[in-house]
Amino acid sequence: MLRFIHTRGLRECLERYREAGEQLGFVPTMGALHEGHLDLVRRAREICDRVVVSIFVNPTQFNDAGDLAAYPRTLEADVEMLCAEAVDVVFHPDVDDVYPPGEDLGRRQFDFGGLDELMEGAFRPGHFAGVAQVVDRFLHIVAPDRLFMGQKDYQQVAIIRSMLEQTAHRAELVVVPTRREPHGLAMSSRNERLSPADREKAAAIFEALSWMRSQAMVSSVEDLRRDFLERCSIPPLRTEYIEVVDGQRLRPLSNLSQSDVVVACAAVWAGEVRLIDNMTLVGDELSS
Ligand code: AMP
């Protein structure tokens, strides 16, 4: 497995793969890897000739300096895990390599048609502009044939799909289902910050979403949301939002029959740790 911290060496290496006619799969991550990330890597391994993984805690997508500082960083363990998955290339640049000082990168303005104003966009102002900026930048550097992302970050997938439509990147987006812990909590690097007791309690998020799905045919949206709130009102859990939205534009629905694909998306604080999750209530999963 090759490791790069500078863009130039990486570009040269990838150029050789491309000249050999090999298909590149790219998995962007912020590290602190877990089985959810590895599912993306394995999917890429299955359908691409070469797999490139980036590990970069992108400062421009954090709207809270404390959250950025507290984000777990476990580079050497991550590299070992990727080596065991037969990843070809790991790219773990410094902030200065991605955003060279003095270079005016500007922020390319994307029009997400309101997608970035809801849910995560509303509670984390500037977050999606930062996500789109870094993924756009990495796609310029890596120019993969396929880009792998997790359904766990449902709104992020919708944002990146929209960004791809607005750019000339040729990458095909492959969405991988959410990997969960045995009791249902969606795997996340942030779970490492939960105490064992809070980690148990956070399983209520998955249980509440599953309840919503089981009741989707017989309950109103209002009742479904109320049920979620009740089921997640176990201290230290505190729900920031629970929305029932259409699967494409992520517009809040007042009635489930308004869309073929209906998804429940939630953000819940477990003490100091902010967790997000989602579940398709009606229609097909995003995954391909
Ligand atoms: P992150 O390191 O949190 O930026 O995540 C990198 C990629 O892994 C994103 O596309 C996430 O959606 C995906 N991912 C994170 N957690 C999971 C999970 N539990 N299951 C599947 N994919 C995930």
Side-chain angles (χ1 to χ4, degrees):
M1 189 174 74
L2 298 169
R3 287 172 69 162
F4 293 98
I5 53 171
H6 295 297
T7 307
R8 188 156 22 94
L10 174 74
R11 281 189 204 265
E12 285 167 8
C13 164
L14 299 182
E15 200 41 50
R16 283 197 297 277
Y17 294 155
R18 241 174 259 114
E19 277 166 10
E22 293 175 316
Q23 295 264 311
L24 298 190
F26 176 48
V27 183
T29 81
M30 297 205 297
L33 300 182
H34 50 68
E35 285 292 317
H37 295 111
L38 296 186
D39 279 356
L40 272 60
V41 169
R42 290 172 190 140
R43 186 83 188 104
R45 188 70 284 166
E46 269 166 28
I47 61 175
C48 300
D49 301 313
R50 297 285 181 176
V51 179
V52 182
V53 178
S54 64
I55 297 175
F56 180 62
V57 182
N58 174 37
T60 72
Q61 71 188 69
F62 284 82
N63 55 319
D64 173 346
D67 191 24
L68 173 61
Y71 202 85
R73 289 160 171 87
T74 58
L75 182 63
E76 289 314 314
D78 293 349
V79 167
E80 263 180 44
M81 288 164 91
L82 296 175
C83 204
E85 298 296 329
V87 162
D88 297 285
V89 173
V90 181
F91 181 45
H92 51 93
D94 290 334
V95 172
D96 284 358
D97 204 76
V98 180
Y99 304 114
E103 193 178 306
D104 179 18
L105 299 165
R107 258 197 195 192
R108 178 162 172 191
Q109 294 297 317
F110 297 105
D111 178 3
F112 296 116
L115 263 180
D116 54 338
E117 289 162 16
L118 309 153
M119 302 191 290
E120 291 304 284
F123 285 96
R124 302 183 67 189
H127 170 64
F128 286 126
V131 169
Q133 178 189 34
V134 76
V135 176
D136 181 39
R137 206 156 165 73
F138 278 150
L139 290 178
H140 275 297
I141 297 167
V142 178
D145 298 282
R146 295 195 179 95
L147 169 66
F148 295 81
M149 305 202 89
Q151 182 155 4
K152 152 89 170 31
D153 298 280
Y154 197 96
Q155 191 172 7
Q156 174 169 280
V157 168
I159 291 280
I160 296 303
R161 184 168 280 136
S162 165
M163 186 268 269
L164 289 174
E165 284 165 7
Q166 296 174 58
T167 56
H169 299 303
R170 64 201 168 91
E172 174 200 343
L173 183 59
V174 180
V175 183
V176 177
T178 302
R179 173 67 87 102
R180 298 181 179 280
E181 297 191 358
H183 63 352
L185 176 64
M187 285 191 178
S188 165
S189 308
R190 294 170 195 270
N191 295 357
E192 298 307 314
R193 294 172 53 204
L194 296 171
S195 68
D198 288 356
R199 209 161 167 143
E200 284 301 314
K201 288 180 187 161
I205 303 167
F206 171 71
E207 286 159 16
L209 289 170
S210 303
W211 170 259
M212 289 176 81
R213 182 163 62 187
S214 73
Q215 299 302 301
M217 290 305 152
V218 293
S219 284
S220 66
V221 167
E222 207 182 321
D223 286 350
L224 291 174
R225 294 177 68 215
R226 195 204 49 223
D227 287 352
F228 181 95
L229 290 170
E230 274 174 15
R231 284 165 182 265
C232 287
S233 59
I234 311 164
L237 301 189
R238 184 175 57 79
T239 301
E240 193 163 76
Y241 66 78
I242 169 69
E243 296 287 356
V244 174
V245 301
D246 82 81
Q248 278 82 40
R249 301 304 308 157
L250 311 194
R251 280 173 304 228
L253 302 175
S254 52
N255 194 314
L256 294 183
S257 62
Q258 287 169 316
S259 177
D260 294 341
V261 181
V262 178
V263 186
C265 299
V268 178
W269 288 91
E272 298 296 304
V273 184
R274 189 172 180 280
L275 304 171
I276 61 168
D277 201 351
N278 65 80
M279 194 172 286
T280 304
L281 304 184
V282 177
D284 288 337
E285 299 278 315
L286 257 187
S287 46
S288 53

